[in-house]
Amino acid sequence: MVPHLITALNGPINELEARILESMPATERWFRLEWMEHTPTFYASVDLRNAGFKLAPVDTNLFPTGFNHLTAPMLPQAVQAGMAAIEKICPEARNLLLIPEPGKRCSFYLDHLAILVRIFTQAGLNVRLGALDPAQTEPEELALAGGGSLVIEPVVRKRGRLMIKGFDPCTILLNCDLAAGTPPQLMGLHEQYLLPPLHAGWSVRRKSQHFRAYDEVAKRFAKLLGMDPWLITPMFQGVDLQGKHGLEALQTAADAQLTKVRRKYKEYGINERPFVIIKSDVGSYGRGVMTVRDGKDIETLAERLPENLGQEVIVQEGVPTHERVHEAVAEPVVYTMDRYVVGGFYRVHANRGIDENLNAPGASFVPLAFAESPHLPRPGEKPGASAPNRFYMYGVIGRLAMLAASYELEATDPQAEAEEAA
């Protein structure tokens, strides 16, 4: 069943959708060649914003939660993608150790973990959940809201390998974002594959690095299709708030971004008031995200900036969302595994505006439920008229963000940097 959805698919985005559909063979070949050169991130979720005149990613999470929001018909694709990913990494894999976020025990997250266990079990793996917390010395059984339970067991380290008593995995899947730093148990593992790699954690990773990589990917893809990369790219600038001129640098960056957006709006005849989003340059779970329409407004936020955002921030072009689900503001979120789109949902917030962050308390989730597969678009139909076409377009932009994450991790790989220095 297709959710009741209202979308402002008019103006340039009609041309964008038509261009992507017409270029589908070239697009798929381009992705295929890219994946021959670059290793996809194991899994990811990508937040998109559809403004009606542009469609762009605004966040890419390499430790995604929310797999419980995917519909049952989406799971076979996830199982197949999981099989493909594991076969490339460790073809003889038998055991998978899944490391959840420490201390996170809410029902939604447990349901998410249960879906991950189901996916990888059906992909042919024995899956166990391991706790990194040294204070946990006994298995902990946790009830699921819909019935059944999960058991999280203490991990031990022996001979340089991370394991559970009687369970020695060749692959360790992290579902914790390492924002607090890298646990010593995960360092220097002996002949075990760690997914994602440690430098994907938020103690190392920066959003500005990701969007620099995305700029590169989007420009190359836009050149292939003969279009303006701005239609699929949010402009941005990283700012360091440390020092006495930090606030001034933030105001300057905000005004510079607003000026660039105004020029683009004028070029495309867009009658909207531009805004920028100021947020932490590291993972912040949606906290402290601020909407600014004038650099002068930052003065009134000055006291709250370091507390909410830390010292490193990103000033990103605000992409309004003109999609609604049941009259509430909505944004699509695309889920990927290996190089495949495996599903997604709409994040919906009845109390937020089109220019605000929707990843906030009070958000609800509506699966991207549709009667026909998003992998089978209808190129002959009028742009904006077909849900499969729209979802295919979401998948293309989601895969561009996933490819950018691959570029990003390659560029920040400490082992590659060490080899280059040597």
Side-chain angles (χ1 to χ4, degrees):
M1 180 178 178
V2 178
H4 179 60
L5 180 67
I6 303 171
T7 293
L9 281 175
N10 50 42
I13 206 163
N14 274 339
E15 181 183 347
L16 171 61
E17 182 180 336
R19 192 74 60 87
I20 287 176
L21 292 171
E22 290 167 0
S23 306
M24 187 166 52
T27 294
E28 297 304 325
R29 178 178 182 274
W30 185 82
F31 275 118
R32 188 165 62 248
L33 295 175
E34 286 292 321
W35 295 130
M36 291 175 67
E37 299 291 332
H38 304 281
T39 302
T41 56
F42 188 81
Y43 56 3
S45 64
V46 184
D47 295 354
L48 305 178
R49 301 280 285 206
N50 181 359
F53 52 83
K54 73 181 292 179
L55 174 66
V58 293
D59 248 326
T60 301
N61 184 4
L62 301 185
F63 301 88
T65 59
F67 270 87
N68 54 308
H69 298 308
L70 305 187
T71 61
M74 296 176 185
L75 295 185
Q77 177 74 13
V79 171
Q80 289 182 327
M83 286 179 176
I86 293 295
E87 285 172 5
K88 286 192 298 186
I89 296 162
C90 184
E92 70 279 9
R94 180 181 302 169
N95 297 333
L96 175 73
L97 177 60
L98 175 57
I99 306 292
E101 196 71 47
K104 197 168 183 180
R105 299 292 189 264
C106 67
S107 61
F108 282 121
Y109 185 66
L110 294 179
D111 288 343
H112 152 76
L113 291 177
I115 293 297
L116 283 182
V117 170
R118 178 180 171 187
I119 288 170
F120 292 109
T121 299
Q122 292 181 350
L125 297 167
N126 301 310
V127 184
R128 303 269 285 271
L129 298 173
L132 292 175
D133 185 358
Q136 181 174 338
T137 57
E138 297 293 333
E140 179 183 11
E141 185 171 0
L142 301 165
L144 298 172
S149 63
L150 292 175
V151 177
I152 301 181
E153 304 173 78
V155 299
V156 294
R157 180 154 169 158
K158 292 182 180 179
R159 300 181 299 277
R161 294 175 67 86
L162 196 67
M163 60 186 74
I164 290 172
K165 186 178 180 181
F167 184 81
D168 187 359
C170 84
T171 304
I172 300 167
L173 179 60
L174 298 177
N175 199 239
C176 51
D177 62 15
L178 309 180
T182 302
Q185 304 102 306
L186 297 177
M187 300 178 69
L189 293 174
H190 177 63
E191 294 183 350
Q192 284 182 307
Y193 295 94
L194 190 62
L195 305 169
L198 293 178
H199 64 284
W202 280 126
S203 58
V204 178
R205 187 177 178 233
R206 296 294 179 266
K207 295 178 184 179
S208 52
Q209 293 170 334
H210 174 74
F211 282 104
R212 274 194 291 272
Y214 183 83
D215 271 353
E216 179 184 349
V217 168
K219 286 175 182 175
R220 294 181 59 236
F221 181 72
K223 185 177 180 180
L224 174 75
L225 269 61
M227 67 182 192
D228 183 353
W230 177 75
L231 295 174
I232 56 173
T233 306
M235 295 185 285
F236 78 98
Q237 182 176 339
V239 179
D240 188 346
L241 293 180
Q242 296 186 66
K244 61 180 181 180
H245 299 298
L247 185 62
E248 182 181 338
L250 184 60
Q251 290 176 311
T252 300
D255 283 330
Q257 291 300 313
L258 287 166
T259 298
K260 291 178 182 178
V261 178
R262 288 189 193 99
R263 288 177 187 149
K264 279 295 182 182
Y265 280 17
K266 184 177 181 181
E267 177 184 344
Y268 283 96
I270 296 165
N271 188 26
E272 298 221 16
R273 188 183 177 196
F275 64 97
V276 294
I277 296 294
I278 299 175
K279 55 189 176 182
S280 174
D281 204 12
V282 301
S284 59
Y285 305 100
R287 295 190 298 266
V289 178
M290 303 179 186
T291 301
V292 171
R293 296 186 179 277
D294 191 311
K296 295 178 181 177
D297 297 340
I298 292 173
E299 295 178 7
T300 63
L301 306 173
E303 292 183 1
R304 294 189 290 128
L305 282 172
E307 177 185 348
N308 288 345
L309 300 174
Q311 297 295 343
E312 298 174 86
V313 303
I314 182 172
V315 180
Q316 189 177 65
E317 173 191 355
V319 182
T321 178
H322 286 297
E323 292 194 300
R324 302 284 190 280
V325 173
H326 304 302
E327 306 303 324
V329 174
E331 65 184 8
V333 183
V334 171
Y335 275 60
T336 65
M337 190 174 292
D338 193 61
R339 56 180 179 159
Y340 305 102
V341 174
V342 298
F345 55 81
Y346 283 102
R347 181 182 290 118
V348 183
H349 207 302
N351 299 318
R352 292 286 174 116
I354 65 172
D355 59 352
E356 293 182 285
N357 170 46
L358 304 188
N359 187 15
S364 58
F365 307 93
V366 177
L368 286 176
F370 36 82
E372 297 179 52
S373 171
H375 305 287
L376 298 173
R378 304 170 181 171
E381 292 200 1
K382 180 181 178 182
S386 167
N389 286 354
R390 187 184 312 162
F391 296 144
Y392 175 74
M393 188 167 64
Y394 291 165
V396 168
I397 304 304
R399 283 185 287 166
L400 290 176
M402 179 173 56
L403 179 59
S406 299
Y407 279 42
E408 169 198 356
L409 293 183
E410 289 169 8
T412 57
D413 184 349
Q415 183 175 346
E417 291 176 358
E419 291 174 356
E420 185 175 330

